[in-house]
Every structure is written in structure tokens, then in C-alpha cells.
Amino acid sequence: MDGLHLYGEQFDGRLLLGTAGYPTLDILHQSVQAAKPAMITVALRRQGAMDAAHGEGLWALLRQWQIPLLPNTAGCLSVQEAVTTAQMAREVFETDWIKLELIGDDATLQPDVFQLCEAAEILIRDGFKVLPYCTEDLIACRRLLDAGCQALMPWAAPIGTGLGVVHEYALKVLRERLPDVPLLIDAGLGLPSHAAAVMEWGYDGVLLNSAVSRSGNPVLMAQAFAQATAAGRTAFAAEPMVPSSQTRASTPTVGQPFWHSEDY
């Protein structure tokens, strides 16, 4: 179907995939091949903390895949920390794309939407293409748009929980109220059916990591999520029927004997 458009650029898919937590680099590589993601996310901090052999292996894979990179500011707790990490990531990965994470609570890893707006405004002035990890709060999302963000990444549930959509109403309202803004679900999805559902609502893409890397078979799960994401988008484009409380027969009546017969 149609591609994903972000900051004036087009991507050949609607699934974004993280690189953390896979059992081996080979499984990561096979998972990426199965998912065929539009972008690959990588954390500068995690990359720096890897042992030399593993780190070199990941660098080799990133070069081999030739898939657009989306560095993130995972683990940052302040505006200055997030901005500095983003600037370092731009130098290391040679890209202006950044997934802006700025955490406000250690237990839930919920984004600090107040600092997030401030950091986004700074980075956008500095030429970054910012994809902010945010909540489903409509007003906070509007503030991020006012700061200059052209796309948003609201969560479905806290990072790594796999709960799926916790606040369905809020996410549907967000999609309805921001019809022209690219919205990608980031965090909390656990099953391919979760991805299919949000895509059917009209969301523009999903970002996954734990749901794939922590599964029993990451390669197979990556394939399943890719199929579910594509199916959900296709269903949205097909304009699903409107639910109704009234029954409506689907069997054709032409040719049925005695239909509306006066004798019965």
C-alpha cells in the first residue's frame, strides 16, 4: 500500500524495529530480514556500553542492512542530557533523525511531556527531525506540534510491558483530532493483533522492540508483526464497515422460493 511519510521523506514500510535485547546478533539479523522495517532504532548509550566484539558486530550489521537509522535518547532524564545525547548520536550515526525520549518516572518510564516539549524545540531549531516518544494526551501532543514536531510517537502502554493498548478511547480520540499528523505507536505492544488494531484505527506505523526480541522465536515474531502491520493498514484503506446494533441479513434473497409469498 502507500508508504510512510515523515518530515517530507517517504519510507517503504510502516514498521520500525529496535535492536536491543536479542539473544544473539544472528537472531537480530534474521529478525530484521523478516520484518523488513522502514527504520532501525539504536540507542547511543547501549551501543557505548556493549563489549567490543558485540559492538563491532552491531556496527557491521547496521552498515550491511542499509536501512535508515533512528537513534534514540533512551535513559535521559533532563533536557540538557537529551539534547547532548542527540547531538552525540548525530555525530556517531551521521543522521539528523532522532527518537526523543525523556523519562519522567523510573517505575513506568512515562515520558516527561513538559521537558519533552522544551527539548524538542531546541533540537528542531538545531536541524533535527524529531520523533518524540510521548503519551496519548491530546493537549501534550498539541504542544509538541507547536514546538515544531511534524510527527508523534504516543505509547500504547509502558515500555516493555506488552500489554497492548491500555487507553483505547484516548488513542482513538488522538487519531481523530489530529487527522493530518503522522502518528506512530511506540511502546507497550505485545502481540501482532495489537499492531493490527491500531493500524486499523488509522495510525501510521508502529515501533517494536521487546515484543520481538523477548519472544520465544524473534524471527518468526518479527515476520508476524510485519504481516499484522501491513494487514491493519490495508484494512484501514479498505474502509471497514460501520458497526451496528441492528442485524442485517447477508444472504442474497434473489431466487429464494416462497420469498414474501402470500401463502406463508
Side-chain angles (χ1 to χ4, degrees):
M1 300 297 290
D2 55 329
L4 175 65
H5 295 267
L6 300 170
Y7 285 89
E9 297 187 29
Q10 181 168 336
F11 299 88
D12 293 330
R14 292 179 177 272
L15 185 150
L16 287 67
L17 193 65
T19 55
Y22 288 82
T24 67
L25 284 176
D26 183 58
I27 291 177
L28 168 61
H29 177 58
Q30 293 182 55
S31 298
V32 169
Q33 290 182 314
K36 297 179 174 59
M39 301 183 84
I40 289 288
T41 66
V42 59
L44 178 64
R45 291 180 172 222
R46 291 197 187 98
Q47 172 67 19
M50 288 180 179
D51 61 86
H54 192 90
E56 285 300 318
L58 180 57
W59 275 112
L61 286 179
L62 293 176
R63 289 191 292 268
Q64 177 181 340
W65 291 331
Q66 295 186 337
I67 297 173
L69 291 181
L70 179 64
N72 65 58
T73 61
C76 292
L77 302 175
S78 70
V79 171
Q80 186 56 56
E81 191 178 13
V83 169
T84 300
T85 301
Q87 292 170 338
M88 293 173 60
R90 179 162 60 182
E91 294 299 321
V92 171
F93 298 111
E94 299 181 340
T95 179
D96 290 328
W97 290 93
I98 193 73
K99 176 191 168 187
L100 180 59
E101 294 186 33
L102 217 165
I103 303 303
D105 182 77
D106 290 336
T108 64
L109 301 181
Q110 181 168 334
D112 183 333
V113 295
F114 303 101
Q115 292 198 95
L116 193 63
C117 291
E118 183 180 348
E121 189 171 4
I122 293 171
L123 290 173
I124 289 169
R125 284 202 306 263
D126 196 25
F128 281 90
K129 299 170 183 174
V130 178
L131 296 178
Y133 163 61
C134 57
T135 67
E136 73 282 354
D137 183 273
L138 173 62
I139 307 307
C141 287
R142 282 176 170 167
R143 295 294 178 270
L144 286 166
L145 296 175
D146 291 341
C149 296
Q150 296 182 25
L152 305 173
M153 303 185 77
W155 68 354
I159 294 175
T161 61
L163 292 172
V165 175
V166 173
H167 298 131
E168 177 178 335
Y169 172 77
L171 281 177
K172 287 184 175 179
V173 168
L174 185 65
R175 178 69 286 177
E176 179 183 343
R177 298 295 293 156
L178 302 177
D180 300 321
V181 177
L183 300 176
L184 296 86
I185 294 295
D186 177 14
L189 300 182
L191 295 171
S193 57
H194 298 159
V198 297
M199 295 301 293
E200 288 170 3
W201 300 343
Y203 275 80
D204 297 280
V206 297
L207 190 153
L208 309 165
N209 194 114
S210 300
V212 174
S213 66
R214 295 182 186 175
S215 68
N217 188 327
V219 179
L220 198 59
M221 189 61 77
Q223 181 182 2
F225 265 105
Q227 293 170 340
T229 301
R233 179 63 185 182
T234 302
F236 171 73
E239 301 180 6
M241 65 176 289
V242 178
S244 171
S245 60
Q246 300 296 318
T247 61
R248 181 179 300 176
S250 58
T251 304
T253 59
V254 176
Q256 288 188 356
F258 313 121
W259 188 255
H260 289 168
S261 172
E262 297 296 333
D263 298 330
Y264 290 89

